[in-house]
Amino acid sequence: MHEQTLAIHAGYEKDAMGTMAVPIYQTTAYEFRDTEHAANLFALKELGNIYTRLMNPTTDVFEKRFAALEGGVAAIGTASGMAAIFYAIANVAEAGDNIIVAKQVYGGTTTLTGHTIKRFGIETRYFDVRNPSEIEALVDDKTKIIIFESITNPSIDVADIDAIVEIAQKHNIITCVDNTVGTPVLCKPLAHGVDLTVHSTSKYTTGQGLALGGIIVERENLVEKIKGNPRYEHFNTPDESYHGLVYSDLPLPLFTLRVRLALLRDLGGAPSPFNSWLHIQGLETLPLRMKQHSSSALAIAEFLETHPKVKKVNYPGLKSSKQHALAQKYFKEGMASGLLSFEVESKEEAQAMADATEIFSVVVNIGDSKSIITHPASTTHQQLSDRELIEAGIPGGLVRLSVGLEDTQDLIEDLKKALG
Ligand code: PLP
């Protein structure tokens, strides 16, 4: 089936009432047929609903639909994108382990990996996404996962996915792509051999800035990389918290299953059914919206490139971009999503320009139907040190745009006036 059809139908079987819209199962818990049924569900002898912290029928449709669009075998929804990233790490790494992460990632991912998980005894080693060969020197036998973004936020670099996967395969390490900006419509990391994707579904998936959410998607046959692999011992040895279950022995997608059974069970962070329902509404129009976001962003990037006050434009859809070839390779028809950034002379000029726009809202979000302008150095990336800012490619004069779905010409006029 084609993408637009999957976006509207995948994962949903109509109930006896023939309900066209996916129902919202706004419930905390589910009644068991009897105590034996309950015991069977807890023992995984039967699969079924137990409690909404673990699973929910509305969220289940969202997970199946998202996995179908991304080309994965299973997915697990979380309360936010940050929860998804944390669970992807916590599912493989523990004190004494290390993970490898691109320097150019969302600010929350930088603080999570550089500060918070350090306190759990997990070390993060960073590589420049523009130079994947740096990964080789960072790997040792305690390395558990390599994480990078398909298009980086906010420095707008396109990752050379094949080059990173090649190094990871050599060392049998799990790879995880944050495909939030790429979206499952424009970019398919799993088809390039990536093992997992994570998304903040708070962005393009919900599409109108309506709900927080996150998701982890698992590729088919990930068990082949994990079974017997000494890096992932806890998937290959009995889980004492689950009656001695050995995940790599199960005929089920094991990574997302372990997130559900162990991490959602113990840490919470599950999505609300209503937010899953909003995400389902978003997915229905995602393929259509991404075309418009991408074509408007390209027109705006072309305009900015010719403006005398703009020193540099970062948008891989531009023919002049050093990353144009990578965007052509990894993004559907070269459509490079709705995020772009550009540099003006100074921090003050960047802030004055953002304040002078009328259609663009000064907001720290992306992927909304409403256009957004952000000054990362004073907001999303404020907690980063000067060194971290430079490493993440965020000079003071950098302005980020999340191009929405308004008329393209109106957006260009708004920027023209604001730049003066
Ligand atoms: N990953 C990327 C690329 C993001 O842009 C964001 C948020 O902006 C996140 C993850 C975190 O997602 P959330 O805000 O849903 O926790």
Side-chain angles (χ1 to χ4, degrees):
M1 254 191 264
H2 290 88
E3 217 148 51
Q4 184 57 61
T5 310
L6 292 173
I8 292 179
H9 294 289
Y12 179 50
E13 302 281 333
K14 288 186 195 69
D15 59 17
M17 316 253 277
T19 313
M20 282 292 280
V22 177
I24 309 175
Y25 287 91
Q26 192 66 48
T27 182
T28 307
Y30 311 85
E31 187 183 17
F32 307 116
R33 285 193 302 274
D34 49 32
T35 51
E36 187 190 348
H37 179 218
N40 283 344
L41 292 180
F42 273 86
L44 293 183
K45 286 185 189 152
E46 270 181 71
L47 296 180
N49 296 317
I50 296 176
Y51 191 67
T52 284
R53 173 153 35 79
L54 301 173
M55 72 282 280
N56 173 278
T58 309
T59 301
D60 183 57
V61 174
F62 173 56
E63 291 168 342
K64 290 196 167 112
R65 193 166 292 183
F66 204 102
L69 280 172
E70 187 89 294
V73 68
I76 182 150
T78 55
S80 70
M82 287 318 301
I85 297 168
F86 175 63
Y87 291 158
I89 296 169
N91 211 25
V92 287
E94 60 189 38
D97 290 338
N98 66 74
I99 65 171
I100 297 179
V101 179
K103 279 176 195 159
Q104 299 88 344
V105 282
Y106 167 62
T109 308
T110 304
T111 47
L112 169 70
T113 56
H115 301 278
T116 302
I117 63 165
K118 201 171 168 183
R119 300 189 55 226
F120 299 168
I122 301 168
E123 180 200 345
T124 304
R125 303 173 176 181
Y126 293 98
F127 73 101
D128 187 339
V129 80
R130 296 167 195 161
N131 188 9
S133 63
E134 284 183 12
I135 295 172
E136 195 68 59
L138 304 176
V139 171
D140 65 20
D141 59 4
K142 290 284 186 190
T143 304
K144 297 297 162 102
I145 193 164
I146 301 173
I147 302 177
F148 58 102
E149 296 178 358
S150 49
I151 289 198
T152 65
N153 173 19
S155 65
I156 329 285
D157 288 295
V158 180
D160 189 346
I161 299 175
D162 288 347
I164 298 171
V165 166
E166 196 184 323
I167 300 170
Q169 299 294 46
K170 195 168 131 195
H171 298 282
N172 236 349
I173 302 171
I174 290 175
T175 45
C176 174
V177 167
D178 181 335
N179 198 25
T180 299
V181 181
T183 78
V185 169
L186 300 182
C187 181
K188 307 273 188 202
L190 304 181
H192 288 271
V194 165
D195 300 310
L196 306 167
T197 58
V198 288
H199 291 254
S200 165
T201 56
S202 330
K203 315 297 176 191
Y204 288 106
T205 300
T206 175
Q208 292 165 288
L210 296 177
L212 276 182
I215 201 159
I216 303 174
V217 187
E218 172 173 356
R219 77 161 163 92
E220 211 168 357
N221 296 329
L222 180 56
V223 65
E224 287 169 2
K225 187 176 247 180
I226 290 179
K227 195 157 179 87
N229 185 339
R231 287 189 198 280
Y232 306 111
E233 206 186 321
H234 60 294
F235 276 94
N236 290 299
T237 48
D239 179 352
E240 296 311 335
S241 79
Y242 222 106
H243 312 306
L245 184 78
V246 178
Y247 286 95
S248 63
D249 286 347
L250 294 174
L252 295 166
L254 74 176
F255 193 95
T256 40
L257 185 73
R258 189 172 183 279
V259 172
R260 194 181 297 285
L261 296 185
L263 302 183
L264 283 187
R265 178 194 63 187
D266 299 345
L267 303 173
S272 89
F274 183 60
N275 282 4
S276 295
W277 182 81
L278 288 170
H279 285 121
I280 289 168
Q281 311 316 304
L283 281 186
E284 289 199 359
T285 56
L286 185 67
L288 297 171
R289 286 186 285 110
M290 290 323 295
K291 281 188 197 155
Q292 181 61 29
H293 280 295
S294 303
S295 73
S296 243
L298 178 59
I300 289 172
E302 284 170 346
F303 154 72
L304 288 170
E305 233 184 356
T306 61
H307 198 284
K309 287 198 178 156
V310 175
K311 284 165 58 183
K312 191 176 171 210
V313 183
N314 303 309
Y315 187 65
L318 281 175
K319 285 210 175 69
S320 59
S321 164
K322 279 191 194 141
Q323 309 220 310
H324 187 67
L326 287 175
Q328 293 291 320
K329 178 172 179 186
Y330 294 114
F331 282 72
K332 184 178 180 179
E333 295 160 24
M335 288 188 285
S337 196
L339 204 62
L340 63 96
S341 63
F342 62 96
E343 232 181 295
V344 291
E345 196 53 44
S346 64
K347 182 178 169 196
E348 293 67 34
E349 207 174 294
Q351 286 177 304
M353 188 261 150
D355 289 339
T357 54
E358 284 176 13
I359 302 174
F360 283 83
S361 305
V362 181
V363 166
V364 288
N365 193 19
I366 59 169
D368 197 319
S369 54
K370 300 162 277 294
S371 288
I372 288 169
I373 189 162
T374 311
H375 180 239
S378 63
T379 56
T380 48
H381 291 66
Q382 193 193 77
Q383 275 89 13
L384 269 58
S385 66
D386 286 350
R387 188 179 55 80
E388 284 174 330
L389 278 175
I390 289 165
E391 282 180 353
I394 303 161
L398 191 80
V399 175
R400 184 186 71 191
L401 300 181
S402 169
V403 176
L405 299 176
E406 301 93 340
D407 181 85
T408 314
Q409 207 47 45
D410 287 345
L411 294 175
I412 292 177
E413 288 304 320
D414 196 29
L415 293 169
K416 202 186 275 178
K417 262 198 268 161
L419 278 162

